[in-house]
Amino acid sequence: MTRCTIRGAAPDRAPTAASTSATGNPLPLLALSLVVEGPARIAGSFDGLGSTQGLLALGGLAFTVVVATLVGSGLWTTLMGRHPSSTVAPFSMLVPVVGIGASWLLLRERTSPTEPACGALVVAGVLLGSTRGSAGGDVVEVPATPSARPLDPSPASRA
């Protein structure tokens, strides 16, 4: 649903669609949780929120909601609206690399020697893939051919 909402949005309305889809999904999930787990178990999950560990968990949740979801989705949608998807999409491969690098740098988590090596391989692949098309050597322009049957973009004509 999120993908359809963002793709169907006009370019100037895309950030609004991203924020709506990011903030509208918790309500159905809350309803499902109430049905599956029950209100008592949900109420019990709030015990200990005032502790240090609970406050750290709330900080992590706030970061995930605000930075990762709203800012990340907004930036992604804006980039997809301004650039071809073939230019932007390869950069999604960097998400695990950034996650591993951030956990190593900020949380001092240990990494095996193969993780940075594989991360460097992914970064090299993304850079190679994103710069290859801009060189102009591999790009072949093909003129658009008119369709035998004109397409009507209005949704009412498809019903």
Side-chain angles (χ1 to χ4, degrees):
M1 183 169 153
T2 302
R3 177 182 237 170
C4 295
T5 303
I6 293 171
R7 284 183 176 226
D12 60 338
R13 308 271 301 178
T16 304
S19 64
T20 302
S21 64
T23 56
N25 292 335
L27 296 177
L29 293 175
L30 176 63
L32 181 65
S33 182
L34 283 169
V35 170
V36 173
E37 298 174 327
R41 187 151 185 199
I42 293 172
S45 69
F46 290 105
D47 293 341
L49 278 182
S51 68
T52 303
Q53 189 174 4
L55 292 175
L56 286 171
L58 287 175
L61 177 65
F63 176 83
T64 301
V65 169
V66 175
V67 177
T69 303
L70 295 179
V71 174
S73 296
L75 288 171
W76 183 260
T77 305
T78 301
L79 286 172
M80 290 294 276
R82 293 182 182 173
H83 304 285
S85 61
S86 61
T87 303
V88 178
F91 288 93
S92 66
M93 299 295 161
L94 297 177
V95 170
V97 176
V98 171
I100 291 171
S103 69
W104 172 77
L105 184 67
L106 300 174
L107 302 176
R108 304 288 185 218
E109 289 190 13
R110 291 178 178 239
T111 59
S112 68
T114 56
E115 287 177 338
C118 291
L121 186 64
V122 170
V123 170
V126 169
L127 289 175
L128 178 68
S130 64
T131 58
R132 195 166 145 212
S134 62
D138 297 318
V139 178
V140 176
E141 289 192 29
V142 177
T145 56
S147 173
R149 179 175 50 120
L151 298 176
D152 186 3
S154 66
S157 65
R158 293 184 209 143

